[in-house]
Amino acid sequence: QRLVRRICPSCARHRAATPVELAWLRGAGRACDQATLRSGDGCDLCRSTGYASRCGLFELIGVNDSIRRLIQSQASASEIRACASAAGMRPLRECGADRVLDGTTTVEEVKRVTMRVSD
């Protein structure tokens, strides 16, 4: 799990997603050619940060027989992740993309807390 900052409700505004943000959303499993996203301009309530409070992003792996066998055989994390994904596990970034699309947080914030070397 990770905590991301929520966009401040007092200074939030809607805007069109940039091509870079759309590419990130597609990479996070959300196919979209255009999107309206929210961001905070900064105000006294959020101390000019554009964010107020936090919400969680969650990645939950349900242990089924296949995953249990992989764990017992000391399989690599990537093998376990692949099996969990096939069984329906939603990665943190996918959960984060949903929070971006529903206007809770920003792409930058999700990228910050789910950092990968390739970003």
Side-chain angles (χ1 to χ4, degrees):
Q1 74 182 20
R2 298 285 186 275
L3 290 176
V4 292
R5 297 177 293 176
R6 287 181 188 264
I7 296 169
C8 176
S10 177
C11 62
R13 64 176 172 82
H14 288 82
R15 61 176 180 74
T18 66
V20 171
E21 290 169 328
L22 289 171
W24 183 86
L25 286 166
R26 283 190 292 274
R30 296 294 172 253
C32 51
D33 294 328
Q34 60 183 9
T36 301
L37 305 181
R38 291 178 62 210
S39 59
D41 284 337
C43 65
D44 291 338
L45 181 68
C46 64
R47 296 184 180 151
S48 298
T49 64
Y51 297 99
S53 78
R54 297 180 187 270
C55 70
L57 302 181
F58 304 95
E59 179 177 274
L60 182 66
I61 297 177
V63 179
N64 59 24
D65 290 336
S66 299
I67 293 173
R68 186 174 290 110
R69 279 192 291 276
L70 287 172
I71 293 169
Q72 289 171 341
S73 68
Q74 297 181 346
S76 69
S78 60
E79 290 174 301
I80 295 170
R81 178 176 289 279
C83 184
S85 292
M89 179 198 75
R90 291 182 48 215
L92 276 176
R93 286 209 163 183
E94 194 174 302
C95 182
D98 290 342
R99 296 296 73 78
V100 169
L101 289 172
D102 71 16
T104 302
T105 193
T106 62
V107 169
E108 294 79 20
E109 183 65 5
V110 174
K111 286 171 72 173
R112 182 183 71 82
V113 301
T114 62
M115 217 169 35
R116 287 186 192 159
V117 175
S118 61
D119 284 344

